[in-house]
Amino acid sequence: MNQFTTVHDVTDIKQLLKDALTLKENPYSLQDLGKNKTLGLVFLNPSLRTRLSTQKAALNLGMNVMVMNMDKEGWALETQDGVVMNGSTVEHIREAAAVMGQYCDILGLRSFPKLINREEDYNEDFFSKFIKYCGVPVVSLESATRHPLQSLADLITIKETWKGEGKPKVVLAWAPHIKALPQAVPNSFAEWMCKAQEDGMVDFTIAQPKGYELNEDFTPGASITHDLNEALNGADYIYVKNWSSYKEYGKVLTYPDGWMLNNDKLKGTNDAKVMHCLPVRRDLELSSEILDGPNSLVIHEAGNRLWAAQAVLKQMLEKL
Ligand code: CP
């Protein structure tokens, strides 16, 4: 794998899952693979899980790791070409990315959307320029539109916990929030689940109130409904997540009651397991009774971030 920014960078999803679960069994089996190789992790936004799991994954593979909190410790970056830099920006992404590429064999990048200009965010302007100028393989730590390491960890979690007959019914369920959040996690989850559905691994449904429809490019083949209870009927997995509107870009629209998942809503499901990428706002986005109860997979899922990152770095190191 030369870079990891979407599910489309993965040639064989089943092999990637197998690698992740093999590494989970034996985390230190490939300590020589990353010897004398350096991973640089560049954050323009906060992180707990992505930062720690990716560092640990690299250490397990014998790599050196450097972390750059660009938003707090780096120079203010200019991303536009042809501007006279007489304002607040100090360094152009052309030089900054190229210099980081001199020090690292693989770079990881986190850069959230601004949620102001849809075209700019969905063009992945910052990510594309960083990849172009750094000159080394890049792993996404979450971009404006996708969070593939999270989605891979989610798929690993479903694969290893599913003990039922046939394919599980997986539901992505919109949940309330007070802030405008990016569509990156639900886009990415939908994209990975649609691919898993194509490969015969899951049946996939999305439930959201009117106005919160995701960009259709990320949802090919998904069943889509505005009725949460209909979607939850017979569900085996419920992936809870808030996102802001794609159509009325970046807006929190008026949202209806009854979209926060609680134990009562689980009654029509197949004793569904509940997932969330975290961080989660308790009793706003997801009820405490679910988070603290037997149906919650959120900690297990966060644990699998490590094996997702390790499997991806393994395949990238093999291509260096
Ligand atoms: N789920 C996730 O990406 O968590 P962090 O933002 O804490 O890395």
Side-chain angles (χ1 to χ4, degrees), residues 11-24:
T11 45
D12 186 343
I13 246 185
K14 289 184 179 166
Q15 183 58 48
L16 190 58
L17 287 169
K18 199 170 156 193
D19 280 359
L21 292 171
T22 304
L23 287 163
K24 186 168 182 173

Side-chain angles (χ1 to χ4, degrees), residues 47-50 110 147 150 277-278 305:
S47 168
L48 186 160
R49 281 143 289 272
T50 307
R110 167 167 282 199
H147 194 357
Q150 178 66 51
C277 63
L278 304 180
R305 291 293 307 273

Side-chain angles (χ1 to χ4, degrees), residues 156-176:
I156 293 167
T157 306
I158 291 169
K159 178 167 171 56
E160 68 175 351
T161 57
W162 176 239
K163 307 293 179 211
E165 294 285 312
K167 295 178 279 185
K169 177 177 178 181
V170 178
V171 178
L172 169 60
W174 182 92

